[in-house]
Amino acid sequence: MSDQQPLAPPPVPPMPPYQPLVAAPAAPVVRKDRRVLRAVLRWGAAVLVLAAAGVSTAYGVTRMDRTDLPGLATASDGRWDYPEIVRPPLPSGSPGPFAEVNSAGAHYADLRALVLPAPAGAVEDKALRGKDGWLATGDFLAEYAKKDERTEFAHRLADHGLRHVAARGWTTKDGTHTRIYLLQFGSAVLVDDLFEHTVVHYGPGYTVRGAGASEYAAVPGGSTLEDVTETAFAESEPYGAEQVRQGYLSAGDTLAVVLQSREGSAPAVPFHQTMTLQAELLD
């Protein structure tokens, strides 16, 4: 045996300190569905507006296909409990109002069926049903306070070839009085001209009964509708006995007028909800 001592094993280097594994961030998912994008944009816009107003619950409306629309059941943020909203069927072979082949933007569905229904618990204003569902033009013009403005507006409507007026109105338990009027003309061009140069020209074109000075009030989600142009106004403080909110929609061959008023102040959320659902129904 050799008298040499065996070599000592080389020293083992110390283990590096433990480092937890961190997963690489996932690649963003790009969604190409335009309806999903619109829903996200609309949700974000609603959250910003209602957060500024001190409302903690987000308010959003999702665009649907041309079948059914959700009624948006009553929630803690003040939304009304609308029934399920079903678009009326189109006559056989007729295009939708914004189909490429429909250059006039005509609504071939029954206009009376395109008026938003009343929410649950509301008392309907039967006088606005008119005769066979058609309202006289004078009954619509009675919403405006000044005689000279009513006369001028009547001439404008006649010059643009007003065909029909369909309407619905109701009062909810909190005293909010809603009126919706759909005015149908011969083409979208006529409605666009009336909308831009008469009813919303630098503000409300005519003075609604009970309304004083009004200011622009954006409707969350409304701007995401490609084919419906809308604007809304809220009576500025100090109001009188009640506050009036008014909205106008240009949708193809149809002009929609939405009015809400309530003693004290008219809440914004149900007005936004009503405007958005009526716009979706006409889209």
Side-chain angles (χ1 to χ4, degrees), residues 63 66 87 90 94-108 114 187-189 191-192 225-229 249-255 278-283:
R63 182 172 184 176
R66 289 195 59 80
R87 291 185 176 92
L90 292 169
S94 299
F98 302 107
E100 291 185 5
V101 296
N102 190 352
S103 59
H107 285 84
Y108 289 104
L114 290 173
S187 72
V189 174
V191 173
D192 287 343
L225 293 177
E226 290 184 348
D227 302 310
V228 179
T229 304
L249 303 168
S250 174
D253 67 346
T254 302
L255 173 70
Q278 183 60 72
E280 291 279 3
L281 196 52
L282 292 170
D283 189 26

Side-chain angles (χ1 to χ4, degrees), residues 80-246:
W80 288 341
D81 184 9
Y82 278 101
E84 183 179 40
I85 300 165
V86 180
R87 291 185 176 92
L90 292 169
S92 179
S94 299
F98 302 107
E100 291 185 5
V101 296
N102 190 352
S103 59
H107 285 84
Y108 289 104
D110 191 332
L111 189 71
R112 294 166 292 187
L114 290 173
V115 187
L116 192 67
V123 177
E124 190 163 356
D125 184 352
K126 295 181 180 179
L128 290 185
R129 293 181 181 179
K131 183 178 181 181
D132 298 327
W134 300 117
L135 189 71
T137 305
D139 291 338
F140 161 68
L141 291 171
E143 288 284 4
Y144 297 91
K146 300 178 180 179
K147 183 179 179 180
D148 59 336
E149 290 187 353
R150 292 197 300 271
T151 301
E152 179 188 336
F153 200 3
H155 287 316
R156 296 272 188 176
L157 295 176
D159 290 343
H160 284 73
L162 176 63
R163 293 182 171 182
H164 304 290
V165 180
R168 181 169 287 120
W170 62 80
T171 302
T172 51
K173 293 180 180 179
D174 69 347
T176 302
H177 185 202
T178 300
R179 292 88 73 202
I180 299 176
Y181 301 92
L182 301 186
L183 289 73
Q184 192 169 39
F185 298 82
S187 72
V189 174
L190 295 168
V191 173
D192 287 343
D193 179 73
L194 192 66
F195 181 89
E196 295 177 6
H197 300 109
T198 301
V199 297
V200 293
H201 189 54
Y202 298 112
Y206 302 106
T207 306
V208 173
R209 288 188 183 277
S214 298
E215 59 187 5
Y216 175 72
V219 176
S223 62
T224 61
L225 293 177
E226 290 184 348
D227 302 310
V228 179
T229 304
E230 64 180 45
T231 192
F233 304 93
E235 186 178 2
S236 308
E237 293 187 86
Y239 359 98
E242 62 180 13
Q243 183 188 25
V244 178
R245 293 182 180 272
Q246 50 188 307

